Amino acid sequence: MDPYASARDELQKLVSSPTVGSGANEDTTRLQLIDALLFNCLGWNTQDATTEDHHNGSYVDYIVGKPAAQFIVEAKREGIPFTLPAGITGRHAVSVPTLMEDKSTAAAIHQVLGYCQERGVPVGIISNGHQLAAFFASRQDGVPPLKGEALVFSSLQEMYDDFNMLWGYLSKPAVSTKNLQRYLIGRKSRALAPEKLANSISHYPGFRKRSELETDLKMLGQLFIQDLEQEEQISDDFVKDCYCASGALSQYSMLSREVLRARYASAAAAVAGGIEKASTKKGVNPKLTADMVTAALSRRPIILLGDVGVGKSMFLRHLIRVDAKDVLKNSLILYVNFLREPVFVDDLPMYITERMSDQLESDHGIDVHDRSFVKAVYNKEINKFKRTIFGDESDPDEYKKQERLMLAGHLSKEFEHLRRSLEHIRATSGRSPLVILDNIDQRPPEFQESIFETAHSIADSWPGTVFVAIRPSTFFQSRSRGALAAYQTRMFTIEPARTDQVIMKRLDYARAKVVESGAAGVFPQNLSIDDADLVAYLNALIKAFKYDDELKSLIDNMSAGNTRDALMFLFTFIGSGYVSTQRVLDVANAGRVYTVPMHEFIRAIVFGDYDYFSPEASAVCNIFDITTNDGREHFLLPNILAHSQRVAESAGSEGLVSAASIYSFGQSVGFSQEQVGAQLDRAVKNNLLVFSGSVDGGSYRPTSVGSYLHRKLATSFSYVDAMIVDTPIVDPSVRRNIRDVHSIKERIQRAKHFQAYLDKQWEIFDPSRDEIPFRWDEVSAQLTTDIEAAEFKADAATQKRNESATNFWK
Ligand SMILES: Nc1ncnc2c1ncn2[C@@H]1O[C@H](COP(=O)(O)OP(=O)(O)OP(=O)(O)O)[C@@H](O)[C@H]1O
Ligand SMILES: [Mg+2]
């Protein structure tokens, strides 16, 4: 029977049960009835609810819904329970003021209202077991809850008669659709945040102008990220000179080492035989090299597991060309890159076959369709064919024709033909294939599963070794869907290399290239910058990345183990309109190396190519943005981040924080579940938290991006200054004074106003409670220092300008 029908049957039992409304202990009966309603008639499980006694035990609350509480049911335990006012029988929509005409009902409503508001739970329900009334208790649309509507059932019989309504609004399957909220409010639930300053700027977000010099420098930038652009053509030199061994944990991360380490702990536990690191500080893990040989015998693919952009492809490239060059002397490397080519899943074996056949020909000079090669491969078949009726030599032409047909039959099974060809090559020359299936993550899940299957069938029936590089999330999804469960695998994890080292190597590489062959040897066309200037510019960058720990920390934390992102940040600086490139060269001409100030780097990252901060385009998230007209919400996202980090860093958490913990924390400090949900969404979209599978309703892993934002960037004038256009300001008197300004002096004044506004909202937030982990007052104090420093520099610059102007007139 379906859940709806069986729930209704349960309700019928309640209606006709002789125990209802009688019995010596009314309190117990009442609670049993509420239990039965919730758990038997509305589809909730006991795990979905917690009960709490309060007000000296005279009230019992059922807090229902996990991870986010959906409603609280209030039941009065002792004394006279409330009774809904007479005269409303048969009506389901009753205004709360009408209900409150009854004194005991009013008391119960007040009770649950306070409780819902404290915890940010949207719906409050009062029930005496026979009757119930539900109303919206925590709303942000400006209507006081006590003036709103309630959904009322005056008897169990009514609940039974209109069961579709009861079920449609209060059952577990229905509650997530928020039908009840819509019924009670009749429109969208929250009062929206006021408009952002950005909405009033006509040319927002604008394009940042670049000088000719800066445009040319962008080309220099290409040199660092050449492997992102033209994967196929990168040189051995590049791989050799730019590769950094991974295996050392970051020194700059704002997350604890335990959290960084815990990343693969759950993966290791889930895989029989455990997981090894692909490389250590000393180089490639010898077990991996050994496995490349034995994997062929054990007939299972080797899986390289690593997060997005961590360096899986780079590791493989370096393995093949440098580390394992000797071991692989006798291998035929067949590398299938799924990054670019469009392929449909049905064509997959065909696609793999074509790519490999092409490579056999282009890289190894073996044409698998060559006539004599084919004859050699099918030598056994040919000999056997000679013994058939066609082989009696009576009709040589007919024999040849039939032999061709026989061979054509084999060739038409292309995948199998490739396998046979590789078997033949191994038998005759001792060379066995090393098949690499890389970058399959960019494909839809069913496609990836199909690649796994192909990988396994290749490993199982072909000579040689198969590598598959994938991200952990893909791996676990496939496992949980069963696609991988059947296979035994051998796994090696790829960990990020240190970002400061990766960047230093690229810069050194670029400088060596420029010194060795001059700009003309490196760039395709004439540039506005000469070789000496290029070297001077690189020197300034090298100096910054070598000595500036703050800069290293910025890149390291903001890239959170994604080496590609770290390189993209480097690329962003080079030729950015926010870095004073001309000054770099002027200082170099005076024989010194310019120190690029931190705020130029921050602005380059935050603004990218634009004049204004744009949340869609920027790599950086605005942690002050709000979704409702509630100024306390400016501190919600930083608090979610601080709370998550605290939980994840506590013992036994494995670096994880559950969704339930985040919701209940948010609600305990006074936010509605909608506010928490919206900010949690933003956290995930901006990589401040990473969703990590469905352990008990979902859990999250904090990232160093989130940590760096709320601890560090929030204290920086450059960051806060950029966020102002994107932050709704709930106080109209402040809003009027926050404008679109450009000069440094005006920006400093505006940042001070904005800071004062946040300080005021912080007071409203009731910061005296020590369960609030993100302390705006402390961050604000550091921000003050940074604003003062900016002001000092701005004043000094003005003074210098004035002096030189005065000198000019002298
Ligand atoms: N150990 C390393 N040393 C030097 N550069 C590296 C290293 N690891 C990664 N990189 C660089 O970082 C960028 C991203 O690396 P790569 O493409 O190998 O990541 P990936 O793990 O294959 O990513 P995806 O999951 O998207 O396939 C590349 O430009 C690469 O050259
Ligand atoms: Mg890759």
Side-chain angles (χ1 to χ4, degrees):
M1 201 188 300
D2 67 72
Y4 175 89
S6 63
R8 198 177 47 179
D9 284 358
E10 289 292 329
L11 183 57
Q12 188 171 31
K13 279 188 218 156
L14 282 190
V15 174
S16 53
S17 160
T19 58
V20 171
S22 69
N25 189 339
E26 258 191 62
D27 292 342
T28 317
T29 315
R30 188 161 55 243
L31 298 186
Q32 281 170 350
L33 269 174
I34 294 175
D35 273 4
L37 268 177
L38 284 175
F39 305 123
N40 301 344
C41 308
L42 287 169
W44 293 94
N45 302 321
T46 41
Q47 304 95 284
D48 298 325
T50 40
T51 49
E52 272 177 31
D53 276 334
H54 69 124
H55 272 256
N56 303 326
S58 61
Y59 283 92
V60 180
D61 287 309
Y62 293 72
I63 303 153
V64 182
K66 275 193 177 156
Q70 303 289 348
F71 54 79
I72 295 181
V73 184
E74 182 91 26
K76 196 159 186 322
R77 190 195 275 283
E78 289 162 12
I80 311 159
F82 68 88
T83 319
L84 294 180
I88 57 166
T89 315
R91 279 165 57 197
H92 291 310
V94 179
S95 75
V96 178
T98 307
L99 288 179
M100 292 188 50
E101 286 166 11
D102 180 272
K103 250 173 129 187
S104 60
T105 308
I109 287 178
H110 275 297
Q111 198 61 51
V112 71
L113 176 69
Y115 207 49
C116 284
Q117 289 182 338
E118 269 167 38
R119 308 180 138 239
V121 177
V123 173
I125 296 179
I126 54 170
S127 177
N128 58 19
H130 306 267
Q131 305 177 306
L132 72 80
F135 66 102
F136 214 160
S138 166
R139 55 200 288 175
Q140 278 112 19
D141 59 353
V143 178
L146 296 182
K147 297 257 183 307
E149 291 283 296
L151 170 73
V152 173
F153 293 90
S154 305
S155 65
L156 288 171
Q157 186 64 48
E158 258 187 31
M159 294 184 209
Y160 181 74
D161 291 343
D162 290 321
F163 187 68
N164 60 341
M165 204 171 180
L166 183 77
W167 180 266
Y169 291 131
L170 294 173
S171 69
K172 182 174 179 180
V175 103
S176 60
T177 60
K178 303 226 185 305
N179 280 342
L180 180 60
Q181 275 96 318
R182 270 192 281 277
Y183 177 77
L184 294 175
I185 294 190
R187 62 191 162 86
K188 207 165 173 299
S189 63
R190 60 171 100 97
L192 295 176
E195 297 249 309
K196 298 173 172 181
L197 175 59
N199 294 352
S200 65
I201 301 173
S202 58
H203 50 285
Y204 175 85
F207 256 109
R208 179 82 175 183
K209 280 198 199 69
R210 275 201 202 108
S211 65
E212 192 188 351
L213 175 67
E214 286 156 355
T215 311
D216 282 350
L217 278 173
K218 272 280 162 227
M219 274 211 272
L220 172 73
Q222 307 280 347
L223 201 60
F224 305 112
I225 54 163
Q226 54 174 279
D227 59 324
L228 298 183
E229 313 261 297
Q230 329 147 311
E231 201 145 347
E232 316 306 330
Q233 292 139 35
I234 56 170
S235 64
D236 284 357
D237 265 5
F238 178 85
V239 175
K240 217 184 281 168
D241 294 347
C242 294
Y243 180 78
C244 297
S246 60
L249 282 180
S250 156
Q251 301 188 327
Y252 299 98
S253 180
M254 295 200 128
L255 284 179
S256 76
R257 297 188 152 228
E258 284 64 37
V259 174
L260 296 179
R261 262 193 218 112
R263 212 175 194 165
Y264 294 110
S266 53
V271 176
I275 296 188
E276 295 271 344
K277 287 186 186 185
S279 68
T280 64
K281 274 180 250 178
K282 290 192 190 126
V284 176
N285 184 341
K287 286 195 187 146
L288 175 71
T289 340
D291 251 28
M292 291 191 332
V293 183
T294 54
L297 306 175
S298 66
R299 304 187 151 193
R300 54 193 185 172
I302 299 176
I303 291 193
L304 283 184
L305 204 62
D307 287 313
V308 51
V310 74
K312 297 179 289 296
S313 301
M314 184 67 168
F315 173 83
L316 280 168
R317 239 178 258 141
H318 191 256
L319 183 74
I320 297 165
R321 300 200 200 188
V322 184
D323 279 327
K325 205 171 169 190
D326 287 343
V327 182
L328 299 176
K329 234 180 9 247
N330 277 327
S331 297
L332 293 169
I333 291 161
L334 302 173
Y335 178 86
V336 186
N337 188 353
F338 288 92
L339 192 60
R340 283 182 230 289
E341 280 96 331
V343 196
F344 297 105
V345 68
D346 290 343
D347 304 337
L348 189 62
M350 182 69 137
Y351 172 75
I352 294 180
T353 314
E354 273 172 17
R355 292 293 298 124
M356 291 189 189
S357 306
D358 288 353
Q359 281 178 46
L360 276 174
E361 186 162 6
S362 62
D363 299 354
H364 307 285
I366 300 168
D367 176 1
V368 293
H369 295 106
D370 177 273
R371 193 169 54 236
S372 49
F373 180 81
V374 172
K375 284 196 167 168
V377 171
Y378 296 104
N379 188 31
K380 204 167 104 208
E381 279 79 359
I382 291 173
N383 286 335
K384 200 168 164 202
F385 196 73
K386 281 190 183 136
R387 297 197 296 274
T388 65
I389 49 167
F390 301 107
D392 62 4
E393 291 175 12
S394 59
D395 187 347
D397 288 344
E398 180 62 14
Y399 173 79
K400 273 193 185 137
K401 191 174 154 201
Q402 291 299 336
E403 190 193 71
R404 266 203 304 278
L405 283 174
M406 183 273 289
L407 290 175
H410 284 291
L411 284 175
S412 67
K413 293 174 238 153
E414 303 220 13
F415 194 62
E416 175 62 10
H417 172 61
L418 183 61
R419 182 186 76 80
R420 289 289 304 269
S421 304
L422 292 168
E423 290 278 11
H424 172 73
I425 295 168
R426 187 183 53 173
T428 52
S429 69
R431 302 181 74 188
S432 56
L434 175 72
V435 175
I436 297 170
L437 307 178
D438 196 10
N439 296 323
I440 71 172
D441 293 276
Q442 283 83 350
R443 305 285 166 167
E446 62 285 6
F447 192 91
Q448 295 173 14
E449 274 157 30
S450 181
I451 297 180
F452 276 134
E453 279 162 28
T454 314
H456 277 91
S457 80
I458 295 177
D460 190 41
S461 56
W462 290 29
T465 305
V466 183
F467 271 104
V468 188
I470 50 166
R471 300 174 188 166
S473 50
T474 315
F475 179 76
F476 288 114
Q477 275 158 19
S478 304
R479 257 179 97 89
S480 63
R481 273 199 303 269
L484 269 176
Y487 302 115
Q488 271 234 328
T489 43
R490 186 86 158 120
M491 294 233 246
F492 292 88
T493 55
I494 307 283
E495 297 190 341
R498 278 180 45 185
T499 47
D500 54 332
Q501 292 177 352
V502 170
I503 288 180
M504 274 311 289
K505 285 208 169 180
R506 303 266 160 150
L507 290 170
D508 283 339
Y509 174 81
R511 183 169 60 180
K513 283 275 165 226
V514 175
V515 169
E516 177 190 308
S517 46
V522 183
F523 299 111
Q525 62 201 75
N526 286 339
L527 297 179
S528 61
I529 181 166
D530 63 24
D531 296 359
D533 279 352
L534 261 185
V535 172
Y537 183 78
L538 286 168
N539 282 341
L541 284 180
I542 287 171
K543 177 176 166 187
F545 280 97
K546 205 172 210 160
Y547 299 112
D548 190 342
D549 279 348
E550 287 215 16
L551 174 60
K552 291 191 227 178
S553 171
L554 168 78
I555 305 274
D556 197 74
N557 284 292
M558 291 303 288
S559 60
N562 183 334
T563 314
R564 185 179 300 121
D565 280 357
L567 287 166
M568 285 315 284
F569 287 141
L570 171 66
F571 183 63
T572 308
F573 300 146
I574 296 172
S576 159
Y578 290 94
V579 175
S580 29
T581 311
Q582 190 56 51
R583 213 173 312 157
V584 174
L585 302 183
D586 292 347
V587 171
N589 284 335
R592 286 174 291 124
V593 179
Y594 181 66
T595 307
V596 185
M598 184 67 179
H599 66 86
E600 293 190 359
F601 285 121
I602 294 183
R603 281 161 64 78
I605 289 194
V606 168
F607 292 107
D609 289 334
Y610 298 92
D611 262 339
Y612 295 91
F613 168 75
S614 151
E616 281 77 35
S618 177
V620 180
C621 169
N622 175 7
I623 53 168
F624 302 119
D625 194 7
I626 52 179
T627 58
T628 60
N629 194 15
D630 170 3
R632 302 168 313 140
E633 202 190 322
H634 293 301
F635 313 108
L636 176 54
L637 179 55
N639 261 301
I640 289 176
L641 298 174
H643 167 79
S644 304
Q645 183 164 355
R646 187 152 78 178
V647 173
E649 287 180 347
S650 63
S653 67
E654 292 193 345
L656 289 170
V657 52
S658 70
S661 144
I662 295 176
Y663 275 103
S664 80
F665 162 74
Q667 297 187 6
S668 76
V669 295
F671 293 101
S672 74
Q673 171 201 321
E674 278 98 345
Q675 288 173 305
V676 178
Q679 295 292 355
L680 197 51
D681 263 6
R682 297 182 60 229
V684 172
K685 275 198 199 101
N686 289 284
N687 196 29
L688 315 182
L689 293 175
V690 176
F691 185 69
S692 171
S694 48
V695 192
D696 193 20
S699 42
Y700 298 87
R701 238 171 238 297
T703 69
S704 59
V705 185
S707 188
Y708 191 80
L709 267 171
H710 82 270
R711 288 185 173 183
K712 188 77 195 167
L713 275 185
T715 70
S716 138
F717 163 66
S718 305
Y719 173 77
V720 173
D721 174 39
M723 297 307 123
I724 295 176
V725 294
D726 184 59
T727 308
I729 290 173
V730 299
D731 180 339
S733 63
V734 180
R735 190 155 66 233
R736 276 194 293 276
N737 288 323
I738 298 269
R739 292 166 200 240
D740 178 26
V741 295
H742 294 276
S743 78
I744 178 72
K745 289 231 147 152
E746 288 171 306
R747 277 169 38 222
I748 286 172
Q749 285 318 312
R750 185 179 66 168
K752 285 182 179 172
H753 285 312
F754 183 68
Q755 182 189 19
Y757 157 75
L758 288 179
D759 290 347
K760 200 163 134 206
Q761 298 305 315
W762 176 245
E763 285 309 317
I764 298 172
F765 187 24
D766 188 10
S768 58
R769 290 175 295 176
D770 30 294
E771 71 266 28
I772 299 176
F774 170 83
R775 315 294 315 177
W776 168 253
D777 42 354
E778 290 163 19
V779 171
S780 180
Q782 292 182 54
L783 176 62
T784 304
T785 315
D786 204 48
I787 293 179
E788 279 167 3
E791 198 165 20
F792 180 79
K793 270 189 244 155
D795 286 345
T798 319
Q799 205 174 351
K800 213 165 156 193
R801 257 199 311 277
N802 289 345
E803 273 166 20
S804 57
T806 331
N807 291 339
F808 180 80
W809 290 110
K810 268 184 187 161

